[in-house]
Amino acid sequence: PTAPLPFPEDPPAPAATPAVPATSGPAPAPVGELKSLGRDRYQIGRIVVDKKARRFTVPGRVHVLGKPLEYFATSPGGMKEYETLLEVDASGSEFILACILLGLEREPTQGQYWLFSGEPVRGPRVEIRVAWQDGGKRREVSAAEALLDPKDPTKPESVEWVYMGSLLNPTDGLFAADVTGTLIGFVHDANSIIESVHGLGIGAYGSVSGNPAKLPPEGAPVELIVAIPRGAPR
């Protein structure tokens, strides 16, 4: 596992978790054109934002099942793609722009936190779901249902997600989520745009590997849904 992109204000990373150089990884994908679809709906690349419904969707596919996971969704070719449940068709810049269009803002008192830290992270709440077609019928489950084995004692409804906003490296202007491809994680990676509040599987590597009973097989097309919870302030 790797630490977040190095920032001058961050404390030095422990030797056991070397920092990701800002120049490593594939070149950031270009940002798709922002198009108005009418009625408060917008398209960014392949993401469709519905501001009135307070949600956005992006197509993707089931990427890894039956192996240890640390991320829920990454961009194609992301550094952590081998540990992600879903690969979705969005760059970090496209994904965060969709979040901003929903009104999400980085928590100003968020503070520092470390990869694999057990401390809860703060930020505005979001809901994450995944949907797909099964024999002509639409199926949809929460992110936690998709990740957790039925034998896991964690109740899916107890898993909370928050908008973090990822990081920007002031030395070269690169956006961490573009460089790493990490969009949604659950091991408290500061490079992620969205994270699990309490984390999943932290300290128990391999305990989260996706739920094949709730999902279609690897390679199957799916739709990732990110939404503002009902009742949240506008």
Side-chain angles (χ1 to χ4, degrees):
T2 54
L5 288 170
F7 275 63
E9 68 270 26
D10 286 351
T17 55
V20 179
T23 55
S24 65
V31 179
E33 180 185 356
L34 174 61
K35 302 177 183 177
S36 174
L37 302 177
R39 298 188 177 182
D40 243 2
R41 297 173 69 246
Y42 300 88
Q43 184 169 347
I44 314 157
R46 300 197 66 190
I47 300 176
V48 174
V49 181
D50 188 330
K51 292 187 68 174
K52 187 174 292 185
R54 306 183 81 188
R55 62 180 241 163
F56 68 82
T57 61
V58 56
R61 59 213 59 86
V62 178
H63 189 64
V64 172
L65 281 174
K67 297 178 183 178
L69 300 177
E70 293 184 349
Y71 299 85
F72 185 73
T74 68
S75 301
M79 290 181 183
K80 293 295 184 176
E81 201 174 39
Y82 67 98
E83 291 179 311
T84 187
L85 181 68
L86 306 182
E87 176 191 74
V88 299
D89 298 324
S91 68
S93 290
E94 291 171 338
F95 198 87
I96 197 169
L97 180 54
C99 290
I100 291 170
L101 284 173
L102 292 186
L104 293 169
E105 297 181 359
R106 184 179 173 90
E107 170 61 53
T109 61
Q110 186 182 103
Q112 300 287 346
Y113 65 97
W114 289 98
L115 186 69
F116 304 124
S117 165
E119 292 295 319
V121 296
R122 298 191 300 273
R125 284 278 311 279
V126 295
E127 293 178 346
I128 307 170
R129 302 186 67 82
V130 56
W132 67 97
Q133 292 293 320
D134 181 9
K137 295 183 179 180
R138 180 181 173 89
R139 294 191 59 189
E140 187 174 313
V141 296
S142 70
E145 289 176 298
L147 285 168
L148 296 173
D149 185 281
K151 297 178 183 178
D152 193 299
T154 305
K155 295 183 178 180
E157 58 270 22
S158 72
V159 178
E160 298 178 326
W161 304 88
V162 292
Y163 171 76
M164 303 298 297
S166 191
L167 302 169
L168 185 69
N169 192 336
T171 61
D172 56 20
L174 293 178
F175 183 46
D178 275 332
V179 176
T180 63
T182 52
L183 304 178
I184 304 175
F186 49 86
V187 291
H188 292 175
D189 185 345
N191 294 326
S192 300
I193 295 174
I194 292 173
E195 266 287 337
S196 167
V197 172
H198 298 285
L200 294 172
I202 294 178
Y205 184 74
S207 61
V208 180
S209 58
N211 187 345
K214 292 283 188 178
L215 290 170
E218 288 184 3
V222 295
E223 180 182 66
L224 172 66
I225 304 162
V226 177
I228 306 296
R230 290 184 179 180
R234 290 184 176 272

